[in-house]
């Protein structure tokens, strides 16, 4: 477990790093009646770990900062100055970052992240908090802010500190955080209110791997003393999300989408499509069973997403794709071609793509507009012939079912 300070300005870190010893007490399993304590300082509680202070001079960067722990007062001290980078003529940043496995905070999704702090620079307006969760590389995610490939999963929000000599609680609702923000300014490019896909989830709060404090995007001296970091659970119970079927007038399927869809599809619990539907519809319910989405598809290249990774889950030889509602077989691939050819066809279009020999014709039909349905009424995708001949471009969400005969023996894929 390390808490380090990085002082740099974009775009490139160069130079040497140096380390200084101090301590951070991480609140392992420090749950209270109203919340979960993530970190304290100076060995006040929890397990004590070494803190590493990192400094990286940058091309044109002049921002400087330090981190240390006041063991007598039992608080961490984040201090420095953000100045313009000569090469960019824009303010840089400094940040302190702690890496490790933090306690489960999923119960606080509808609650707040709390920093107990005080500051001698209350007028500084560039303070930000961030945490990484659900990212393979937390440090990479917290450098990219979702603006570069595979850098989602680092959630950031602004905060300010009032004047005064006493420690105060800064309460940041998790709904204020977003994992899409500019690495140049720290400003959110998409807010949680604008797009729920950038919001933290209970799953991500279950696996926080990094916590950061920033002074960013605003020139000036920044001083912050931190006594604890915790989360607070809502005081009133929050209703659990219940998956919903489309309203009867819009429902096209003969039954509900199966639980435990293959390829990780059941993990897609929000309707990520550009038309309004019931917010509790899963992606599969919305794409496969709601007539309002007839001309829309699941996100392009969904099958390549890290939580899906279709190609890594294909069976040896031929894979059968079953209806996500009734479990009848719909497609078998590859047939009369190689796996490489199936992948190339799919990658060229962005959705799983099948040829005539791969279609189970008694269960697959198309209407006059080229919309493809199963014999169960499940919307599957589009019939889009190309220069090679007939081609069915299909939503993986709708062909991720379990075989009809084995519907009670659900298969759950996981990474």
């Amino acid at each position: 477990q390390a808490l380090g300070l990085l002082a740099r300005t974009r775009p490139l870190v160069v130079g040497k790093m140096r380390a200084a010893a101090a301590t951070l007490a991480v609140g392992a399993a420090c749950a209270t009646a109203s919340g979960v304590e993530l970190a304290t300082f100076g060995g006040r509680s929890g397990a004590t770990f070494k803190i590493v202070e990192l400094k990286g001079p940058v091309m044109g960067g002049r921002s400087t900062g330090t981190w240390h722990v006041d063991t007598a007062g039992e608080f961490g001290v984040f201090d420095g100055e953000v100045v313009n980078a000569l090469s960019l003529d824009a303010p840089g940043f400094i940040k302190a970052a702690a890496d490790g496995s933090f306690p489960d905070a999923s119960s606080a999704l509808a609650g707040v992240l709390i920093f107990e702090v005080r500051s001698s620079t209350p007028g500084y307006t560039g303070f930000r908090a961030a945490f990484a969760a659900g990212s393979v590389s937390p440090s990479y995610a917290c450098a990219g802010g979702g603006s570069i490939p595979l850098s989602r999963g680092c959630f950031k929000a602004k905060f300010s500190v009032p004047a005064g000599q006493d420690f105060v609680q800064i309460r940041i609702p998790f709904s204020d955080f977003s994992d899409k923000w500019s690495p140049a300014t720290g400003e959110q490019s998409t807010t949680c209110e604008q797009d729920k896909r950038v919001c933290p989830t209970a799953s991500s709060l279950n696996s926080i791997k990094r916590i950061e404090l920033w002074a960013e995007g605003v020139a000036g001296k920044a001083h912050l003393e931190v006594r604890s970091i915790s989360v607070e659970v809502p005081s009133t119970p929050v209703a659990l999300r219940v998956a919903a079927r489309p309203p009867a007038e819009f429902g096209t399927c003969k039954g509900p989408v199966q639980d435990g869809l293959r390829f990780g599809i059941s993990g897609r619990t929000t309707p990520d499509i550009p038309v309004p539907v019931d917010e509790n519809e899963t992606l599969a319910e919305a794409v496969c069973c709601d007539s309002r989405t007839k001309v829309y598809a699941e996100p392009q290249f969904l099958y390549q997403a890290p939580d899906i990774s279709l190609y890594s889950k294909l069976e040896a030889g031929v894979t059968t794709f079953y209806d996500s509602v009734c479990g009848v077989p719909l497609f078998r691939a590859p047939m009369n071609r190689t796996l490489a050819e199936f992948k190339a066809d799919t990658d060229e279009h962005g959705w799983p793509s099948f040829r005539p020999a791969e279609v189970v014709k008694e269960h697959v039909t198309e209407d006059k507009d080229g919309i493809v349905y199963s014999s169960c009424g499940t919307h599957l995708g589009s019939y889009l012939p190309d220069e090679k001949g007939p081609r069915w471009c299909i939503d993986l969400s709708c062909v991720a079912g379990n075989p009809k005969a084995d519907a009670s023996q659900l298969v759950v894929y996981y990474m």
Side-chain angles (χ1 to χ4, degrees):
Q1 186 92 24
L3 180 67
L5 182 121
L6 175 65
R8 65 181 177 89
T9 349
R10 302 150 191 87
L12 177 66
V13 180
V14 295
K16 298 180 180 179
M17 298 185 292
R18 61 187 180 89
T23 55
L24 159 68
V26 173
C30 293
T32 67
S34 60
V36 178
E37 191 169 65
L38 300 181
T40 59
F41 299 87
R44 194 155 51 93
S45 69
T48 300
F49 296 83
K50 181 180 179 180
I51 294 176
V52 179
E53 177 186 310
L54 305 175
K55 290 187 175 183
V58 191
M59 295 168 57
R62 298 179 295 165
S63 298
T64 57
T66 61
W67 169 269
H68 73 274
V69 169
D70 185 314
T71 54
E74 298 184 339
F75 55 82
V77 181
F78 179 45
D79 184 80
E81 183 175 9
V82 178
V83 298
N84 285 2
L86 293 175
S87 58
L88 301 176
D89 193 28
F93 70 86
I94 57 175
K95 72 175 180 179
D99 288 299
S101 294
F102 291 87
D104 180 358
S106 58
S107 61
L109 177 61
V112 294
L113 180 65
I114 301 174
F115 288 90
E116 189 178 4
V117 300
R118 66 185 178 189
S119 176
S120 61
T121 58
Y124 184 73
T125 59
F127 287 126
R128 307 182 200 277
F131 63 90
S135 171
V136 175
S137 174
S139 57
Y140 175 77
C142 288
S147 66
I148 55 179
L150 302 178
S151 66
R152 301 289 296 276
C154 183
F155 302 88
K156 184 181 284 192
K158 291 181 175 180
F159 69 91
S160 58
V161 183
Q165 296 184 355
D166 297 328
F167 282 94
V168 296
Q169 287 191 346
I170 304 300
R171 306 165 64 83
I172 313 173
F174 281 109
S175 58
D176 284 0
F177 285 85
S178 167
D179 72 347
K180 293 197 75 173
W181 40 269
S182 167
T185 65
E187 294 290 338
Q188 294 179 359
S189 53
T190 305
T191 67
C192 180
E193 184 177 6
Q194 293 169 334
D195 187 343
K196 298 303 181 186
R197 291 174 294 184
V198 307
C199 307
T201 64
S203 176
S204 60
L205 293 181
N206 182 43
S207 57
I208 297 175
K209 300 299 183 186
R210 186 178 179 91
I211 295 176
E212 298 186 338
L213 288 170
W214 294 66
E216 176 182 30
V218 177
K221 294 184 180 297
H223 181 90
L224 193 67
E225 297 176 0
V226 188
R227 189 153 67 180
S228 68
I229 304 171
S230 61
V231 300
E232 184 177 271
V233 178
S235 57
T236 56
V238 178
L240 295 176
R241 182 187 183 281
V242 178
R245 295 184 64 185
E249 64 268 30
F250 301 117
T252 63
C253 295
K254 292 184 178 180
V257 166
Q258 295 178 2
D259 293 327
L261 293 175
R262 300 190 298 164
F263 314 124
I265 293 297
S266 282
R268 296 301 179 114
T269 58
T270 56
D272 300 325
I273 47 177
V275 291
V277 296
D278 189 306
E279 65 177 8
N280 282 342
E281 289 183 32
T282 63
L283 178 62
E285 287 281 6
V287 172
C288 313
C289 299
D290 195 320
S291 62
R292 291 170 291 185
T293 69
K294 178 178 178 179
V295 298
Y296 294 94
E298 68 192 15
Q300 191 176 26
F301 298 106
L302 174 71
Y303 65 91
Q304 293 183 359
D307 59 323
I308 306 296
S309 188
L310 172 64
Y311 294 158
S312 71
K313 298 170 183 175
L314 295 177
E315 298 172 17
V318 175
T319 298
T320 300
F321 296 83
Y322 298 92
D323 190 294
S324 291
V325 174
C326 66
V328 298
L330 301 171
F331 302 94
R332 297 185 177 98
M335 297 287 287
N336 289 356
R337 59 175 173 168
T338 66
L339 178 59
E341 288 171 329
F342 167 72
K343 291 180 178 179
D345 218 7
T346 295
D347 293 342
E348 185 273 332
H349 188 62
W351 289 270
S353 297
F354 302 93
R355 296 295 177 173
E358 298 167 327
V359 181
V360 181
K361 292 184 171 55
E362 61 265 36
H363 293 306
V364 178
T365 60
E366 307 89 40
D367 66 14
K368 61 181 179 61
D369 298 317
I371 305 298
V372 182
Y373 294 93
S374 78
S375 55
C376 300
T378 309
H379 170 222
L380 304 178
S382 301
Y383 175 65
L384 297 172
D386 62 5
E387 67 279 0
K388 297 178 183 178
R391 179 174 66 168
W392 289 258
C393 298
I394 302 301
D395 294 298
L396 182 62
S397 303
C398 308
V399 296
N402 297 279
K404 183 178 181 181
D406 300 323
S408 64
Q409 300 177 13
L410 301 180
V411 178
V412 180
Y413 285 81
Y414 59 91
M415 297 294 286

